[in-house]
Amino acid sequence: MTEPASNLPLLLAGAKRWFDDALTASMRAAGEQPLTSAQGQVFAFVDPEGTTVAELARRLGVTRQTAHQAVHGLLALGLLEQVPDPASARNRLIRITAEGARVHRRAQATLTVIEGALADRIGTEAAAALRHALTLPRGEPPVVEAP
């Protein structure tokens, strides 16, 4: 069995948890209502004119139910709003409210500071190399022959 520390997907997941934990603690310390990681990700996928929950689920790579739960919590906090979809009477669009935009901007600025803290800890060259490696094109996921 492979040691978890050498499994790249687990290392990436651990790094994401580190960022999520730092963001949650920092936002809470600043007096902001803490969001779950899933709720925070919703902001990256909402179009300015609005997005349906079904489309958010597709973009997030989750079920509609999971997306709906994240959206419902953000609606209750006043960070998102539902509006009629002009293209379909059956659908509702999800949009970011002014308060949601403020919180999102603050979270993005906080993540920049957290990334700086990581660079202080692992070195600016290592942090830059990590960012560069993660932005390189990977192509479609390969189908390989399992050993």
Side-chain angles (χ1 to χ4, degrees), residues 52 83-93:
T52 64
V83 297
D85 183 346
S88 170
R90 294 181 353 164
N91 289 332
R92 310 261 308 150
L93 295 176

Side-chain angles (χ1 to χ4, degrees), residues 59-75:
R59 292 176 184 180
L60 289 163
V62 299
T63 66
R64 279 185 182 186
Q65 181 180 5
T66 300
H68 182 74
Q69 287 174 342
V71 165
H72 183 71
L74 293 166
L75 289 168

Side-chain angles (χ1 to χ4, degrees), residues 9-45:
L10 290 177
L11 291 170
L12 290 169
K16 183 180 180 320
R17 271 192 309 278
W18 183 86
F19 272 97
D20 288 345
D21 291 349
L23 179 60
T24 299
S26 298
M27 293 294 280
R28 182 177 283 128
E32 298 288 354
Q33 176 70 34
L35 304 179
T36 66
S37 177
Q39 288 173 326
Q41 289 179 17
V42 167
F43 286 93
F45 295 107

Side-chain angles (χ1 to χ4, degrees), residues 48-112:
E49 66 278 1
T51 309
T52 64
V53 171
E55 180 59 21
L56 283 173
R58 188 190 68 72
R59 292 176 184 180
L60 289 163
V62 299
T63 66
R64 279 185 182 186
Q65 181 180 5
T66 300
H68 182 74
Q69 287 174 342
V71 165
H72 183 71
L74 293 166
L75 289 168
L77 292 171
L79 303 179
L80 296 179
E81 64 182 355
Q82 283 186 338
V83 297
D85 183 346
S88 170
R90 294 181 353 164
N91 289 332
R92 310 261 308 150
L93 295 176
I94 304 302
R95 289 193 314 206
I96 299 173
T97 63
E99 176 64 3
R102 182 197 66 77
V103 170
H104 182 63
R105 282 190 305 274
R106 190 168 198 185
Q108 292 301 309
T110 302
L111 282 170
T112 299

